[in-house]
Amino acid sequence: ASPVLERMLSLVRGGDVSPAAAGEAAAGAPEQLEVAKRILGNAALCLANCFIEPTICRHAALRVDGLDAVAVLVAAAKCDSARSDDTAQHNMAIALARLAQGDPAHKERLRDLNAHTVLHARFRHSK
């Protein structure tokens, strides 16, 4: 697996800039929270663009902190009513959908996690 994809998934997983950690750290500094959200959103957007290519999807059998790429993206894309307009979550859902489209194994994992509900909820909030 590509080190670049691994790093982006690590960021999405909550490496140094998870929304929760960023929210706690930036309680008094909204601009820092916005920067953290932008980093997450851009990492997710990069992943989404990478996953347009089915070959990359087939090679994206990544594990971050013991979780596969689909599980990482599902957890990151889950809707939170307080953050329903979050662009980063939207980008993560796009990456997840493209990953599932690009490889049957990832699509099956999406089904196993019953994650289609996450995608439906995420895209319903984006309208």
Side-chain angles (χ1 to χ4, degrees), residues 16-30 32-34 36-37 40 83:
D16 300 323
V17 290
S18 71
E24 291 170 11
Q32 288 178 351
L33 179 60
E34 287 305 311
K37 280 183 172 183
L40 283 173
R83 299 184 310 145

Side-chain angles (χ1 to χ4, degrees), residues 66-106:
L67 296 175
D68 59 83
V70 174
V72 168
L73 289 167
V74 166
K78 284 189 177 177
C79 283
D80 174 348
S81 59
R83 299 184 310 145
S84 63
D85 62 339
D86 191 357
T87 303
Q89 284 180 308
H90 183 78
N91 289 346
M92 290 175 214
I94 291 171
L96 178 61
R98 287 183 179 167
L99 181 62
Q101 281 181 324
D103 184 54
H106 294 303

Side-chain angles (χ1 to χ4, degrees), residues 5-80:
L5 288 176
E6 287 179 22
R7 180 62 184 142
M8 285 188 284
L9 274 172
S10 178
L11 283 171
V12 168
R13 170 74 172 113
D16 300 323
V17 290
S18 71
E24 291 170 11
E31 56 279 340
Q32 288 178 351
L33 179 60
E34 287 305 311
V35 168
K37 280 183 172 183
R38 261 186 263 130
I39 291 169
L40 283 173
N42 287 336
L45 184 61
C46 288
L47 284 170
N49 287 329
C50 288
F51 294 152
I52 288 173
E53 178 59 45
T55 305
I56 293 175
C57 292
R58 284 190 292 277
H59 290 94
L62 305 172
R63 298 196 77 72
V64 178
D65 296 334
L67 296 175
D68 59 83
V70 174
V72 168
L73 289 167
V74 166
K78 284 189 177 177
C79 283
D80 174 348

